[in-house]
Amino acid sequence: GRACLSHTEPRARDGRSGEEEEEEEEEGCYQLYPGHIPTSPLQKALLAAGSAFMALYDPYRHDMVAVLGETTGCLALPNLRDKMKHHPEGYRILQERPRIRLSTLDMAKLRGLPDGSLGREYIRFLEDNKVSPDTRMPPKFVDDEELAYVIQRYREVHDLMHTLLGMPTTILGEVVVKWFEAVQTGLPMCVLGAAFGPIHLSARNLQLLATELAPWAIRSGRNASCILNVYYEQRWEQSVASLREEIGIFPPP
Amino acid sequence: AAAGLCPCRALLARRGGALRALCGSVRGLAVGPETHFGFQTVTEAERREKIYHVFESVAKKYDVMNDSMTLGIHRVWKDILLHKMNPSPGTLLLDVAGGTGDIAFRFINYVRSAQERQLQRKLKHHQNLSWREISESYQEDKFKSLGDSQVVVCDINKEMLKVGKQKAQHLGYSEGLSWVLGNAEELPFDDDKFDVYTIAFGIRNVTRIDLALQEAYRVLKPGGRFLCLEFSHVSNPLLSRLYDLYSFQVIPVLGEVIAGDWKSYQYLVESIRRFPPQEELKAMIEDAGFFKVDYQNLNSGIVAIHSGFKL
């Protein structure tokens, strides 16, 4: 594996006068999807350790959280993919590969939906917290094209989780969502985020988290069916309350 | 070109291990006459552009990354370069691809301390001056801390120069320092201007090294010295393997974690492998007209300093 991924043999140097071969041949051979960077097990381990450290050190490095998820998800992602395969709605999602992006969302229509509907509340969440679905990192280090989609879907659905759980994008809100996602997906990145995220919280928020929010998130996570098995794009008109009940998320405290 | 390559890539990706052999043989085909099959063969213009973008994106984290990748050892290499140069006060230095100013600042420090030592020696010898000599010394020109030494930092990349200027301001360097945007292959300076020309970890990124060397020859004064500090080739097989392992396994990871940029650092380690080894570079420097060309390996050839004189 290493000889392919790392170009160690020197090439003939006659390319000096005119063209130069771009160095990415190896990756070109193994690139499974656009943006894919094939990595050796050692590189993945180093990336996992480095990104974990960096994500804690500088919480604004969202790309590090993403990298951590990709490099540690080798068990959880196939699990999630199988859950999707064995569910009719999840299976359809895997087939159709919908993407949640500003270009694919009809913002005007969603805004026009009644209050309390998923579409309206989702837009409200995006606007209140000043976030956009387009800021999600595309996967780079997942070595399977379908699993890359699964993690991409998980990232794009994250904002909808905020909407369904009623949590803002403050550190406390993010940690609560991470607890929920940790139980739901089993992704080590979520578990680590849930466990270490609270480091940055104030004492009051920490107490709130420990006594009310985290237990609720865990209970909901356990009770709910797999969140990736919901075709959200076809349910904008459905009310948040009814969707919550259908999935099994308890109302927020 | 990229669009045409994608179907090939997707096709190749679906085959398993036979892939390696296929890639190997195809590579052999592509090295000869121009071909677009499979690889990204790039033109000179494309290469220049890609490298510009690499340094544009790494500029802000350049110094942090250098320290992380080399565990701080790059500082020692640069110090050694300065000691080899041994500039005396009054030297005019051109530092090409000098972006963030490491060589320039070291030069200023070196010349400043040389000047101070000279001053102290002068004072010691002149303890017993006559009163007339003392009054004459008051009329001498104000003492210049750099003694007319000057360094011009030239770089093709605006972002790197920007970082360099900010660093200079932050560290308090202002006298005897100027920043010029320019291309090593076509320098914006007159002939026979500089005493010393340095290029530290820059010549690897130049597309036409022969042109850069010719330009170096042109702008140096007769008697001027060319100094090049660059990654080179390790001949020791065990060290070479460890070095490869470190380069290809660790450095891109460091790039991703610290700078959020895997690809630029992947480019860096591959460009090191692509660069001519010590003897070949020596021959190229001689071809440009330099005499007494020699090189010194540092760390068994991980880095080498090449030197030549315009006579």
Side-chain angles (χ1 to χ4, degrees):
Chain A
R2 193 180 75 83
C4 276
L5 297 168
S6 57
H7 169 203
T8 51
E9 316 111 50
R11 302 262 178 87
R13 289 186 210 294
D14 50 13
R16 197 101 292 157
S17 53
E19 280 81 38
E20 290 232 357
E21 286 170 3
E22 190 56 40
E23 303 78 28
E24 296 171 303
E25 286 80 5
E26 273 71 18
E27 281 140 85
C29 293
Y30 288 84
Q31 202 176 35
L32 299 168
Y33 49 88
H36 181 216
I37 298 176
T39 42
S40 66
L42 175 60
Q43 285 175 321
K44 284 204 180 62
L46 291 171
L47 270 174
S51 61
F53 169 77
M54 196 49 110
L56 270 182
Y57 177 75
D58 183 357
Y60 290 100
R61 290 290 302 271
H62 300 298
D63 60 324
M64 287 292 101
V65 177
V67 169
L68 181 61
E70 289 168 31
T71 49
T72 54
C74 40
L75 288 174
L77 283 175
N79 212 355
L80 279 172
R81 190 253 312 266
D82 291 342
K83 273 195 195 157
M84 289 176 82
K85 263 202 173 131
H86 295 126
H87 187 277
E89 216 170 326
Y91 187 79
R92 253 193 312 130
I93 295 174
L94 276 180
Q95 294 292 87
E96 293 173 25
R97 304 269 179 105
R99 297 290 304 275
I100 303 178
R101 270 189 294 221
L102 283 176
S103 50
T104 57
L105 295 174
D106 186 348
M107 302 291 277
K109 173 171 158 248
L110 293 176
R111 217 174 265 124
L113 289 172
D115 284 345
S117 65
L118 180 66
R120 185 70 194 89
E121 295 311 311
Y122 175 60
I123 299 292
R124 184 165 294 145
F125 165 79
L126 290 180
E127 287 171 350
D128 285 351
N129 293 275
K130 299 193 183 48
V131 290
S132 145
D134 291 356
T135 57
R136 300 289 152 212
M137 293 262 321
K140 291 194 284 228
F141 302 112
V142 181
D143 288 336
D144 178 305
E145 187 255 337
E146 194 171 35
L147 295 181
Y149 175 73
V150 172
I151 207 171
Q152 177 93 75
R153 181 78 184 157
Y154 153 74
R155 284 181 191 155
E156 290 178 357
V157 156
H158 177 79
D159 288 336
L160 284 158
M161 288 304 102
H162 273 279
T163 311
L164 286 176
L165 293 170
M167 290 288 131
T169 56
T170 56
I171 298 188
L172 178 60
E174 291 289 353
V175 171
V176 175
V177 177
K178 277 283 165 290
W179 276 98
F180 178 78
E181 286 175 344
V183 174
Q184 271 276 309
T185 64
L187 280 167
M189 177 265 282
C190 297
V191 176
L192 287 171
F196 289 99
I199 287 180
H200 297 285
L201 286 176
S202 67
R204 187 170 65 94
N205 280 339
L206 203 54
Q207 196 193 29
L208 195 59
L209 177 72
T211 54
E212 279 184 46
L213 295 174
W216 161 70
I218 296 172
R219 267 183 302 125
S220 290
R222 283 225 184 100
N223 189 49
S225 61
C226 181
I227 43 147
L228 289 182
N229 279 337
V230 181
Y231 208 136
Y232 298 98
E233 291 92 327
Q234 292 177 348
R235 294 164 176 266
W236 294 125
E237 292 85 9
Q238 190 174 2
S239 80
V240 170
S242 106
L243 188 57
R244 268 192 202 135
E245 209 184 304
E246 188 183 327
I247 298 177
I249 299 176
F250 297 122
Chain B
L5 290 167
C6 278
C8 303
R9 232 183 259 154
L11 187 66
L12 289 171
R14 271 181 228 126
R15 315 286 165 87
L19 201 48
R20 238 166 272 177
L22 179 65
C23 271
S25 61
V26 169
R27 200 179 295 146
L29 275 176
V31 168
E34 175 170 0
T35 174
H36 58 79
F37 173 69
F39 315 146
Q40 294 182 51
T41 309
V42 295
T43 61
E44 285 186 1
E46 279 173 318
R47 186 190 138 96
R48 285 196 188 96
E49 203 187 310
K50 280 178 187 288
I51 291 179
Y52 190 91
H53 287 308
V54 164
F55 282 94
E56 199 175 42
S57 86
V58 306
K60 294 204 175 74
K61 299 268 173 131
Y62 186 72
D63 292 330
V64 170
M65 279 302 300
N66 283 348
D67 277 331
S68 318
M69 291 190 290
T70 64
L71 303 170
I73 301 175
H74 73 106
R75 298 167 185 238
V76 176
W77 293 330
K78 288 165 182 165
D79 289 341
I80 296 177
L81 177 69
L82 255 298
H83 277 277
K84 198 172 168 93
M85 191 197 302
N86 194 18
S88 47
T91 301
L92 184 51
L93 168 67
L94 173 63
D95 182 30
V96 176
T100 55
D102 280 347
I103 301 296
F105 302 149
R106 281 174 171 75
F107 171 80
I108 292 175
N109 291 343
Y110 198 98
V111 159
R112 216 179 252 159
S113 51
Q115 188 81 330
E116 270 166 25
R117 269 178 276 131
Q118 215 178 54
L119 175 64
Q120 276 180 358
R121 268 197 298 259
K122 197 167 133 192
L123 286 176
K124 269 211 180 100
H125 285 144
H126 288 54
Q127 284 304 310
N128 293 312
L129 291 175
S130 72
W131 291 111
R132 165 175 280 197
E133 281 166 312
I134 290 174
S135 81
E136 269 171 8
S137 80
Y138 284 147
Q139 277 137 40
E140 263 168 30
D141 282 331
K142 182 169 171 280
F143 177 72
K144 287 192 187 143
S145 66
L146 283 186
D148 284 331
S149 318
Q150 265 201 70
V151 53
V152 177
V153 180
C154 179
D155 200 296
I156 198 173
N157 195 296
K158 286 201 190 91
E159 286 304 310
M160 293 291 281
L161 278 178
K162 203 161 109 179
V163 173
K165 284 186 200 168
Q166 282 167 355
K167 245 170 85 177
Q169 211 176 26
H170 182 70
L171 295 169
Y173 293 101
S174 52
E175 216 187 308
L177 181 59
S178 47
W179 306 85
V180 176
L181 187 68
N183 182 346
E185 296 170 7
E186 205 181 325
L187 290 171
F189 305 111
D190 286 330
D191 300 4
D192 305 324
K193 257 199 87 172
F194 297 96
D195 298 308
V196 185
Y197 172 112
T198 51
I199 183 165
F201 301 116
I203 202 162
R204 201 178 72 252
N205 300 302
V206 169
T207 302
R208 289 284 305 274
I209 297 179
D210 55 335
L211 291 181
L213 292 172
Q214 282 169 32
E215 280 294 273
Y217 190 85
R218 181 179 69 77
V219 302
L220 275 172
K221 287 183 193 157
R225 189 175 197 184
F226 168 87
L227 281 167
C228 165
L229 174 67
E230 190 52 83
F231 288 108
S232 201
H233 284 247
V234 179
S235 42
N236 177 322
L238 174 63
L239 184 61
S240 174
R241 289 207 59 187
L242 285 171
Y243 179 46
D244 281 353
L245 184 75
Y246 178 74
S247 295
F248 286 96
Q249 298 299 308
V250 180
I251 287 183
V253 173
L254 282 176
E256 180 70 23
V257 173
I258 296 177
D261 191 348
W262 175 288
K263 299 229 161 187
S264 292
Y265 290 89
Q266 180 78 27
Y267 158 76
L268 181 143
V269 297
E270 287 172 346
S271 70
I272 293 176
R273 298 299 174 297
R274 271 295 159 103
F275 189 69
Q278 288 85 330
E279 283 293 332
E280 200 179 315
L281 183 61
K282 178 176 169 201
M284 289 171 85
I285 298 173
E286 283 167 349
D287 284 345
F290 290 99
F291 286 99
K292 294 232 150 258
V293 180
D294 197 13
Y295 61 85
Q296 177 191 356
N297 274 339
L298 304 178
N299 292 120
S300 311
I302 293 180
V303 163
I305 298 180
H306 280 71
S307 160
F309 289 91
K310 174 174 176 173
L311 297 174

